[in-house]
Amino acid sequence: MMQHNSEEMQITGIEEIKEETVQEERIITFKLNEELIGINIEDVTKITTDVEITPVPKTPIYILGVMNLRGNIIPVVSLKKMFNFSTQEENIESATILVVETELGQIGISVDNIEGAVKIHATDILPPPMNAIGIDPEYIKGVVMLNEEKLLILLDVKKIFNRDKR
């Protein structure tokens, strides 16, 4: 007569399959003076050049004017002036504009030139250095060392263009 061991009948050893969640962000990178700056690609709705920017009187100095993008009137902001990067006048006729979606609506950001797009892991983001860059750390998500020489500054456009700040 054959006997079954009850322990042999139990199903054991089923391992829970855990997928490692890799949090990756895609970042649009651009230059402001010599600084390499990045914005999450999900915040960018359009990149455009050759747009006419119409100055608007009695606006803060960092607002270059407004542009008409497919019937939408969008304010265009100079981050250089907002962050006191430069006292030089910007050439708005040849500006590259990143249109970002914010709590205040669409806003155009004037940049020197687009460098490209990079993927970064959330674990690569380091806290911003205090006042080393000249941008208020409140507006910086963090910094990423792309290689030994390139430091990427990640801006938080949602904090920069927050309804409570205006």
Side-chain angles (χ1 to χ4, degrees):
M1 183 170 183
M2 192 169 174
Q3 293 184 344
H4 290 281
N5 184 345
S6 64
E7 289 181 19
E8 289 177 3
M9 302 297 282
Q10 292 180 350
I11 299 172
T12 58
I14 297 176
E15 293 181 28
E16 185 176 327
I17 299 172
K18 294 181 181 178
E19 267 188 47
E20 190 173 311
T21 305
V22 177
Q23 294 187 345
E24 219 174 49
E25 290 185 44
R26 293 180 60 207
I27 306 294
I28 293 284
T29 62
F30 56 92
K31 287 275 186 143
L32 288 179
N33 289 352
E34 297 303 314
E35 303 293 343
L36 184 62
I37 310 286
I39 293 177
N40 191 320
I41 203 166
E42 292 176 4
D43 295 330
V44 178
T45 58
K46 179 143 180 86
I47 299 172
T48 186
T49 57
D50 298 327
V51 291
E52 185 175 328
I53 299 171
T54 305
V56 178
K58 298 183 180 178
T59 55
I61 192 167
Y62 58 85
I63 296 181
L64 300 175
V66 294
M67 67 180 187
N68 184 343
L69 187 65
R70 296 187 205 133
N72 295 321
I73 304 301
I74 298 173
V76 179
V77 171
S78 166
L79 289 180
K80 286 185 195 176
K81 289 182 179 176
M82 184 179 261
F83 297 144
N84 296 318
F85 270 15
S86 172
T87 56
Q88 297 176 351
E89 284 297 314
E90 292 184 52
N91 185 1
I92 59 175
E93 293 173 3
S94 63
T96 299
I97 308 294
L98 285 175
V99 179
V100 295
E101 193 66 47
T102 73
E103 187 177 290
L104 303 171
Q106 290 187 326
I107 294 178
I109 297 172
S110 173
V111 301
D112 290 342
N113 59 317
I114 302 293
E115 292 290 309
V118 295
K119 286 183 182 177
I120 58 170
H121 295 276
T123 55
D124 294 337
I125 300 173
L126 305 170
M130 296 299 291
N131 294 332
I133 302 164
I135 301 173
D136 187 338
E138 177 184 359
Y139 302 133
I140 300 174
K141 280 184 176 177
V143 295
V144 176
M145 291 301 299
L146 294 180
N147 57 38
E148 290 183 16
E149 295 177 13
K150 277 190 174 179
L151 178 71
L152 173 64
I153 303 163
L154 299 174
L155 288 183
D156 188 342
V157 291
K158 290 184 175 34
K159 283 189 179 173
I160 295 171
F161 301 109
N162 182 320
R163 191 175 303 275
D164 295 336
K165 300 272 183 207
R166 303 289 144 208

